[in-house]
Amino acid sequence: MKKITEAAAAFAVGGIACAASAQGQEITVKPLAEARVRYEHVDQDGIAAKGDALTVRVRGGAQASSGALSVAVVAQGNLAVVDDYYDGLNGAATRPLVADPQNVALYIAQLQYRAKGVTLTAGRQKIALDDERFVGNVGFRDNAQTFDAVRAELAPAKGLKLDVSYVWSVRTIWGIDGNAARQQAVSGDNVLANLSWETPLGTLTGFAYLVDQDEAAVQAFRLSSQTYGARLAGSRAFGKAVKLIWQASYARQSDWRRNPNDYSATYWLADVTLDLKGWKIGGGYEVLGADKGAALTSFQTPLGTNFKFQGWADKFLTTPANGVRDRYIGGGYGAKQMGGLSAVILQATWHRFDSDRSDQHYGNEINLLASAKLRKTTVALRYAHYDAKALSADADKVWVQLDWAI
C-alpha cells in the first residue's frame, strides 16, 4: 500500500519551494500560527473516577507563495498539562475517555496550484466536504484529522463545481502513538467525489465516497464502504429581518473492497432553521439506517467530523448495529458584534435518540454553547448531558476552551 512518511512529505514541499525560487518569481511568505487551551471534564455513570483534561495545543508553520503556486508546512504539538483522563491509547480505561492524546506531528505539508476555476492540492492537507458529515477535519479534537492526498477542485462553469480527491492515508486524531484499532494513520485507496450545482432552491450536490479502511486492525476491514447520495442546502430571505435556512440529504451505503460484511444501509436528513434578526429556532431529523442488526452493518461515517452530529457526548461516533434516528430541536442567538465582542453565539439543542430497527429508545441529550471572539481569541463554554435509556450510560461533559490564531 502506498504511503508517504512525514519526513518525505516535508522534503518534497521544500524542494518545490526551491524550484519556484529558481524561476525568478517573487516569493511571499506568510507565517501560520495558532494555539488552543482546553479544559474538559467528564462524569460518566459506571466509571468511578471522573475525567479531567487540561490540554495545550500549538501549531506553527509558514506558507510560501509564488504566482499560482504555494507551499504550506505546519507542525503541531499537543501537551496534557492535567492528564487525569484516559486518552484512548495509554493506560487502563479507569477514567472516562477524552480523545486528545499527547502528540508531536507534521499537520500540513502541501503544494497547491490555484488559478481561475482550478485548484490542485497535493500532500498532507485538510479536506472538509459540505457539512463534514461524511468527510471532515474533526477540528474539535486537538490532533484533528488530515489526509495524504491529491485533490482537484474545478469550476468549469458558473455555479458548477467538481471536487475529487484520491486519498492514500488518513492521518487520525490518535497521533504518533496511535496503534491497533486507533492507529496513527489508516492506509487505503479512498476516492472522494463531489459535484455541486447552484440552483434557485440552493446548492444541489451529488457525491460518491469510496472509503477504503485497508487495515486489518481497524475493525477487520469492516469500515470500508461505498456511499452514493445527494444533498440540497439553501436559504431564502423574507425582507431584512427573516431568513429561512434548509438542508436535505439522502445516501445509500454498502460494503466495499475487503469488507467481509454484505450489507446495505440508508442515510437521510431533513433540517430547517428560522432566523429572526439573529434569534434562531429550528429542528431536524437524521437517520443512519440499519441493515440486519449485526455490528457494523449500519450506516457508518469513519471519515466524518462526527462530534458535530448526534450530540456532543459522543455516544454515536460508531453507529449502533440497529442504526440511530436523531430527532432534535434547538434555538439560540447570534450576533456579529456585541460591544467589544464579535461572533457571539448562544445555543441550546435537545436530541432524542432511537434505533432504526427493533424499536429501542437509546436516550436523550441536551447541548449548551456560549462563545464569543475578543480580537484574535475565541472563548467557548460547552455542556452536554446524556440521559441513557437503552444505550451506554448517563454522562455529563463540560468544556472551557480558548482558541487563538494569527
Side-chain angles (χ1 to χ4, degrees):
M1 189 61 62
K2 189 175 182 182
K3 295 184 179 180
I4 288 185
T5 66
E6 296 181 355
F11 178 82
V13 295
I16 293 166
C18 291
S21 178
Q23 293 177 356
Q25 296 180 340
E26 180 182 355
I27 296 178
T28 60
V29 178
K30 175 184 177 182
L32 303 172
E34 59 179 273
R36 168 186 288 175
V37 178
R38 179 164 65 213
Y39 170 70
E40 180 170 345
H41 172 81
V42 185
D43 183 0
Q44 180 172 312
D45 279 8
I47 302 178
K50 297 176 175 59
D52 289 287
L54 177 61
T55 58
V56 177
R57 187 196 70 197
V58 178
R59 290 179 182 154
Q63 176 179 291
S65 303
S66 177
L69 284 174
S70 68
V71 176
V73 177
V74 179
Q76 73 170 20
N78 184 41
L79 174 67
V81 179
V82 176
D83 62 353
D84 295 331
Y85 67 99
Y86 175 54
D87 66 10
L89 301 174
N90 303 299
T94 56
R95 292 182 182 271
L97 173 67
V98 176
D100 290 324
Q102 296 191 116
N103 186 38
V104 176
L106 183 64
Y107 181 61
I108 298 291
Q110 70 176 41
L111 166 69
Q112 187 172 85
Y113 171 82
R114 184 186 292 271
K116 184 178 180 180
V118 179
T119 301
L120 306 175
T121 310
R124 186 160 302 169
Q125 58 190 282
K126 294 190 291 185
I127 301 178
L129 301 178
D130 296 322
D131 60 354
E132 301 189 56
R133 190 51 171 123
F134 303 117
V135 181
N137 179 233
V138 197
F140 182 78
R141 298 272 49 119
D142 283 343
N143 295 320
Q145 174 176 268
T146 55
F147 302 84
D148 289 347
V150 289
R151 182 183 185 185
E153 299 170 81
L154 310 175
K158 183 178 180 180
L160 188 65
K161 181 181 178 182
L162 175 64
D163 191 328
V164 180
S165 300
Y166 167 68
V167 179
W168 59 86
S169 181
V170 180
R171 314 297 298 190
T172 75
I173 66 171
W174 302 111
I176 57 174
D177 292 330
N179 62 79
R182 293 168 171 162
Q183 295 196 0
Q184 173 186 1
V186 180
S187 301
D189 296 311
N190 303 271
V191 178
L192 313 173
N194 191 308
L195 178 63
S196 61
W197 176 41
E198 295 181 8
T199 76
L201 292 177
T203 300
L204 179 62
T205 303
F207 52 84
Y209 302 137
L210 309 181
V211 176
D212 183 19
Q213 300 269 282
D214 196 26
E215 301 281 354
V218 182
Q219 300 292 354
F221 310 112
R222 293 182 299 166
L223 290 177
S224 295
S225 65
Q226 51 186 329
T227 302
Y228 305 93
R231 180 176 186 268
L232 178 67
S235 63
R236 182 175 179 180
F238 299 91
K240 296 182 179 180
V242 181
K243 186 177 183 180
L244 185 65
I245 305 163
W246 62 84
Q247 57 178 322
S249 186
Y250 173 85
R252 191 76 175 169
Q253 183 179 96
S254 59
D255 52 286
W256 194 55
R257 298 299 291 260
R258 291 206 275 177
N259 190 333
N261 287 332
D262 179 10
Y263 80 99
S264 181
T266 299
Y267 170 91
W268 63 273
L269 165 74
D271 181 285
V272 177
T273 300
L274 185 63
D275 188 331
L276 304 168
K277 288 187 176 181
W279 291 96
K280 296 181 180 180
I281 185 170
Y285 189 29
E286 184 185 45
V287 178
L288 280 74
D291 186 358
K292 306 176 182 68
L296 299 177
T297 62
S298 50
F299 200 105
Q300 304 294 327
T301 58
L303 302 187
T305 300
N306 296 338
F307 178 82
K308 293 175 60 177
F309 304 89
Q310 298 178 333
W312 299 334
D314 282 349
K315 299 299 182 179
F316 300 94
L317 297 181
T318 299
T319 307
N322 287 322
V324 58
R325 294 175 176 259
D326 176 14
R327 298 173 177 87
Y328 58 90
I329 186 170
Y333 179 76
K336 293 182 179 179
Q337 199 71 35
M338 184 181 292
L341 302 176
S342 61
V344 177
I345 298 173
L346 298 173
Q347 177 183 307
T349 306
W350 175 84
H351 297 262
R352 176 190 168 96
F353 301 112
D354 297 288
S355 63
D356 183 52
R357 64 188 298 276
S358 298
D359 193 26
Q360 294 176 295
H361 177 36
Y362 292 143
N364 304 315
E365 183 168 331
I366 295 174
N367 296 151
L368 303 175
L369 168 67
S371 70
K373 189 172 183 179
L374 179 62
R375 297 185 179 88
K376 295 182 179 181
T377 301
T378 300
V379 181
L381 175 63
R382 294 177 187 261
Y383 170 73
H385 171 70
Y386 179 74
D387 180 16
K389 301 300 182 184
L391 183 139
S392 192
D394 290 358
D396 290 278
K397 295 189 176 186
V398 176
W399 299 265
V400 181
Q401 180 172 321
L402 285 80
D403 285 282
W404 172 89
I406 289 180

